[in-house]
Amino acid sequence: MDKLDRNPADRPLKAIGALTALGIVYGDLGTSPLYTYQTIVADAGGHPSARVALGLLSLVIWALIVTVSVKYCVFVMRADNSGEGGILALMSLVTKRVGGERSKTTAALVAMGLFGAALIYGDGIITPSISVLSALEGVNVVTTSLQPYVLPAALAILVILFVAQRWGTARIGRLFGPIMLVWFAVIGLLGLMAVIRHPGVLAAIDPTYAIGFLVRHGARSLFVLGGVFLAITGGEALYADMGHIGRAPIRAAWSFIVLPALLLSYAGQTALIISDPGLSGNPFFRLAPGWAIIPLVVLATFATIIASQAIITGAFSLTRQAIQLGWLPGVIIRQTSDEEYGQIYVPSVNWLMMVATLALTWGFGSSAKLAGAYGTAVSTTMLLTTALLFNAMLDVWRWPLWVAASVSGVFLLVDLGFFTANLLKIAEGGWIPLVLGAAIFIAMRTWRRGIQAMRARIDEEEKAPNQLMADLAAGRVTRVPGTAVFLSRTDTAVPIMLTRHVAQMGALQERVVTLTLVFEEVPRVAVADRAQVEQIGPDFWHVRVHFGFVEVPNAMVALASARANGCPIDLDQAVFFAARDHVVRGATSHRLPAWRRAIFSVMYRNAVRSSDRFDLPADRFLEVGRQVEL
């Protein structure tokens, strides 16, 4: 159990955390009723009978219970990596526990984790589009005269949303929780009013209605399952946001607020459909009385903006994790809050997502058409999460094979059903997030292989630093006033850049520090373990600085801690040197295929400079160019 569960005095904090979770975690899941049921009804052929309607509702109910309540809340959220969640954190967790003799298994786990992470970007460009469109389309229930303005309004809102990212959401984010609380209260109340008028829909809690629907419709039910899956998109956010929200608040918000409100909303829409078989339009907005539809559209628009904000922030956090785990090149990352580490802004990712989201919104034009593109990426990610969870059960929790296989087998059966159903949407636009995910996956693998090839090539040149150390000890190298810090891409205490600097300049500063920054596969590194200092010669130190994959890598702060460990570096006067490598084709041997080398070269050339990534003073930072043959 979490500490908050055990200490009654912390219950107010848990309540505040649950409110925060509503705004950060449950935006996507919470706005699913806007478009899910109209999609399900359309996939079922429209105007379903009472028996079919109860079967559809039962499918939604049990999808929420099995996937979100049981799989994510009970099991997946237990597989934390030092408190952090998300598919990359899970991948790092399980691969750390797999021995080297199982390298093929490790490679497979890494591939699953990376592809699952890459697909989240595909989800990230569709969620804002379908959410905002579905909210604004509610005005069509009142009048069709506003229909031509829905798409332009959606595009304008999305542009404002992405442009506003540069200022962060630390202040307005405090309003997200209360707004979502009002949203869940409203949709729950609207659903409850309809259920009271037609309480027979409560029978759908019996899973035999869902099973009976699947049995009667056979393979045709796969088309419906694709729509049912929309009810659980956003479930992965429970795990991804666990690190800065906590398990207990997320579980409490789900159990006591989100799940009841969603069940009532879906049950109310079902009751409305049964009571009015000829109903047309979106059943969600039909639940509201005429006078309340416009206010509901306004509230829904705010809720969908919050849902979009959550997925954009998630993409930023995922990018930072991927960079610091060594799967993507460094890009500019700005911290937008001094209090919350999760409040970051990644300009390049933001603008690329904006362009893609606007293109999708313009191209599809309505939430109903976008529903065909939605779900393929998320269902694949959920399937891969189950596979990684199975390995966590075996290698981390040390469960017996039959127990791990039994539990994960149930989840796998459900995930495969939804995955297969979403594959039927490929032609309707489902290929878009898959192609985007595949492209990002290839880029991740290429970056990793390219960096490994570069390090191997540099290591060959750095095998003999003894001559420089001997020259220093014998006084054959002129020492000039000043302090020099050389950034090393490898763990070598005397990098090749330093030896070349001495050879070209004929001198070396009187005080030298070689700095290696290491990113560990844990979220955070304790302050006491941050810097390791080794003196390798007179006035010559090698400093290894460790960061976790969610930490902001500030080299100046880390070097300040190195001073406390015995490295007397003057940070106000030090000059920093880093290599600016240029990747070229090897004259004799080729470490990368030509197509990978071309991609890697472009990525490497556009990676952020070390001074920007590690917050080094630009006026005392020098880059030394060199060619690296691959």
Side-chain angles (χ1 to χ4, degrees):
M1 293 178 67
D2 292 339
K3 292 181 180 179
L4 290 178
D5 291 326
R6 295 195 299 262
N7 189 352
D10 287 331
R11 286 174 183 168
L13 294 177
K14 183 176 178 180
I16 294 173
L19 184 62
T20 304
L22 292 180
I24 296 177
V25 179
Y26 290 111
D28 195 357
L29 268 170
T31 54
S32 293
L34 283 168
Y35 48 81
T36 296
Y37 228 72
Q38 70 171 348
T39 303
I40 294 173
V41 171
D43 290 343
H47 309 298
S49 64
R51 183 184 184 188
V52 170
L54 289 176
L56 297 175
L57 177 59
S58 187
L59 284 171
V60 172
I61 291 172
W62 285 99
L64 288 168
I65 292 174
V66 172
T67 301
V68 184
S69 296
V70 179
K71 175 184 170 181
Y72 277 94
C73 282
V74 176
F75 290 96
V76 176
M77 290 180 68
R78 185 186 171 195
D80 67 290
N81 188 339
S82 300
E84 282 294 320
I87 194 165
L88 282 182
L90 179 59
M91 178 195 76
S92 297
L93 176 68
V94 297
T95 53
K96 281 191 300 184
R97 303 302 180 99
V98 176
E101 67 276 10
R102 298 169 63 185
S103 58
K104 291 184 178 179
T105 301
T106 303
L109 294 174
V110 167
M112 287 188 286
L114 289 182
F115 191 54
L119 289 170
I120 292 176
Y121 291 98
D123 178 34
I125 65 172
I126 298 179
T127 294
S129 180
I130 192 173
S131 299
V132 173
L133 274 173
S134 61
L136 294 177
E137 286 168 353
V139 300
N140 295 332
V141 175
V142 178
T143 174
T144 58
S145 62
L146 296 176
Q147 186 173 354
Y149 303 100
V150 169
L151 180 57
L155 292 171
I157 290 173
L158 290 170
V159 169
I160 293 171
L161 173 66
F162 281 101
V163 170
Q165 296 303 310
R166 68 175 67 187
W167 293 289
T169 58
R171 293 182 180 177
I172 63 173
R174 297 167 188 167
L175 300 176
F176 287 178
I179 291 174
M180 291 306 297
L181 181 60
V182 172
W183 168 256
F184 285 117
V186 169
I187 67 173
L189 179 61
L190 292 175
L192 177 62
M193 293 168 59
V195 170
I196 290 174
R197 293 192 294 267
H198 201 296
V201 296
L202 297 177
I205 193 68
D206 183 350
T208 58
Y209 281 95
I211 296 171
F213 178 89
L214 296 175
V215 171
R216 288 193 306 273
H217 293 83
R220 289 181 299 168
S221 63
L222 286 175
F223 292 96
V224 175
L225 285 179
V228 171
F229 183 75
L230 298 178
I232 60 174
T233 56
E236 71 282 354
L238 278 71
Y239 184 48
D241 293 316
M242 182 176 65
H244 55 284
I245 301 295
R247 271 190 295 262
I250 291 176
R251 288 170 174 167
W254 172 254
S255 301
F256 298 111
I257 300 175
V258 182
L259 180 60
L262 292 179
L263 293 180
L264 284 172
S265 181
Y266 289 123
Q269 293 181 59
T270 303
L272 188 63
I273 290 171
I274 293 176
S275 61
D276 185 5
L279 183 73
S280 61
N282 191 334
F284 174 82
F285 288 103
R286 294 290 183 183
L287 285 174
W291 61 267
I293 291 178
I294 295 300
L296 183 59
V297 169
V298 174
L299 178 60
T301 302
F302 278 110
T304 55
I305 290 173
I306 293 171
S308 303
Q309 177 62 54
I311 195 68
I312 294 169
T313 302
F316 292 165
S317 298
L318 177 65
T319 301
R320 179 169 64 182
Q321 288 189 22
I323 289 171
Q324 297 186 180
L325 286 170
W327 294 105
L328 282 177
V331 296
I332 293 176
I333 299 177
R334 297 173 184 162
Q335 194 79 21
T336 59
S337 171
D338 294 332
E339 300 175 357
E340 300 179 41
Y341 77 87
Q343 290 287 335
I344 58 175
Y345 170 56
V346 186
S348 57
V349 174
N350 183 67
W351 300 127
L352 288 173
M353 287 182 65
M354 185 186 79
V355 171
T357 300
L358 294 177
L360 280 176
T361 307
W362 178 264
F364 284 86
S366 71
S367 61
K369 293 179 180 178
L370 264 171
Y374 201 28
T376 53
V378 184
S379 62
T380 307
T381 298
M382 287 187 172
L383 180 65
L384 295 172
T385 299
T386 297
L388 292 171
L389 178 65
F390 170 70
N391 284 273
M393 292 174 177
L394 288 178
D395 297 313
V396 181
W397 302 340
R398 302 297 180 184
W399 284 10
L401 176 60
W402 70 270
V403 176
S406 299
V407 175
S408 59
V410 174
F411 302 143
L412 185 63
L413 181 64
V414 175
D415 290 338
L416 282 174
F418 285 130
F419 175 73
T420 305
N422 279 289
L423 288 181
L424 300 177
K425 297 181 178 181
I426 295 293
E428 300 175 29
W431 60 271
I432 295 174
L434 292 181
V435 169
L436 177 62
I440 294 173
F441 174 77
I442 292 172
M444 286 179 165
R445 295 300 296 264
T446 299
W447 178 256
R448 184 76 157 204
R449 288 189 59 181
I451 289 296
Q452 290 173 342
M454 280 192 67
R455 286 176 177 169
R457 182 73 181 88
I458 293 171
D459 280 343
E460 292 178 357
E461 301 178 2
E462 294 181 347
K463 287 181 178 178
N466 294 334
Q467 184 59 50
L468 173 63
M469 300 308 298
D471 290 342
L472 287 173
R476 290 190 291 269
V477 177
T478 303
R479 307 299 289 266
V480 296
T483 300
V485 179
F486 291 87
L487 275 66
S488 174
R489 295 188 182 277
T490 66
D491 199 27
T492 306
V494 184
I496 186 64
M497 179 178 57
L498 173 56
T499 58
R500 288 181 176 177
H501 173 80
V502 174
Q504 293 170 357
M505 305 301 295
L508 186 64
Q509 282 79 353
E510 62 184 357
R511 186 165 292 164
V512 177
V513 175
T514 57
L515 175 64
T516 301
L517 289 91
V518 182
F519 292 95
E520 305 289 354
E521 293 195 1
V522 295
R524 300 170 189 83
V525 173
V527 175
D529 300 326
R530 177 76 66 201
Q532 297 174 344
V533 178
E534 176 188 5
Q535 185 167 5
I536 58 176
D539 292 319
F540 197 135
W541 293 267
H542 180 219
V543 178
R544 300 178 82 250
V545 177
H546 301 261
F547 293 101
F549 59 73
V550 302
E551 294 182 297
V552 178
N554 189 310
M556 296 296 283
V557 173
L559 284 171
S561 67
R563 291 187 61 180
N565 292 341
C567 178
I569 179 174
D570 185 353
L571 293 177
D572 294 328
Q573 300 297 325
V575 178
F576 297 85
F577 295 86
R580 188 64 175 177
D581 300 320
H582 300 278
V583 177
V584 297
R585 181 176 179 269
T588 55
S589 62
H590 310 309
R591 298 175 181 272
L592 288 176
W595 67 273
R596 278 198 187 275
R597 185 171 59 250
I599 295 173
F600 176 72
S601 179
V602 172
M603 296 173 72
Y604 195 86
R605 193 163 53 245
N606 289 280
V608 68
R609 299 173 65 204
S610 299
S611 59
D612 294 323
R613 183 179 178 190
F614 303 128
D615 200 22
L616 296 170
D619 60 335
R620 290 183 282 120
F621 179 80
L622 298 175
E623 287 186 321
V624 181
R626 66 180 177 184
Q627 289 188 340
V628 179
E629 296 182 352
L630 297 181

